Amino acid sequence: MRYLFSLIGVLFLASTLNAQISFSLNLNLDSQPAWGPTGYDYVGYYYLPDIEVYYNVPQHRFYYNEKGRWIYSSYLPSRYRSYDLYNSYKVVVNEQKPWRNHKTYIEKYS
């Protein structure tokens, strides 16, 4: 009987330790665009300070300000048609809705 209680205790401790050691690994290497910076396991957004646009990597959307409102599109607006995504400066941003702190990003990266 004592052996049974010991075995149950060991199993309980083992499951508790396993729960404490486990962790979550979030990768999105396959969804990052070819024009994005390399070397990042996870990227939420890219900020393109030259044109003040954010790119949502998981959703593949560009967020830009249009007449005071932040809107999104799968493509850059026509006014940036000649913008070269491959040879432009990009900042990795892992913050939800970074345009809410747009003033901070302008000051930091302009």
Side-chain angles (χ1 to χ4, degrees):
M1 190 68 150
R2 182 181 262 175
Y3 177 74
L4 180 62
F5 285 126
S6 297
L7 183 61
I8 291 172
V10 168
L11 290 174
F12 177 74
L13 285 174
S15 66
T16 304
L17 287 175
N18 187 27
Q20 291 175 356
I21 295 172
S22 66
F23 62 93
S24 175
L25 182 60
N26 192 0
L27 301 173
N28 69 349
L29 293 172
D30 58 336
S31 65
Q32 295 176 29
W35 50 263
T38 59
Y40 295 92
D41 292 336
Y42 177 80
V43 176
Y45 290 86
Y46 295 130
Y47 173 53
L48 310 170
D50 298 335
I51 56 175
E52 296 184 12
V53 170
Y54 298 90
Y55 179 75
N56 183 311
V57 174
Q59 295 178 348
H60 308 287
R61 293 179 178 169
F62 290 95
Y63 286 80
Y64 54 93
N65 197 311
E66 186 75 42
K67 298 179 183 176
R69 290 182 45 213
W70 286 95
I71 60 173
Y72 65 86
S73 173
S74 297
Y75 305 97
L76 282 171
S78 60
R79 65 181 176 259
Y80 303 126
R81 185 174 303 148
S82 63
Y83 187 72
D84 184 3
L85 289 168
Y86 287 89
N87 295 310
S88 62
Y89 181 61
K90 297 162 216 56
V91 178
V92 173
V93 178
N94 287 322
E95 172 186 347
Q96 290 296 321
K97 300 181 182 178
W99 52 88
R100 289 183 175 176
N101 295 318
H102 186 60
K103 185 177 179 181
T104 303
Y105 291 110
I106 289 174
E107 291 171 358
K108 192 171 183 179
Y109 299 109
S110 63

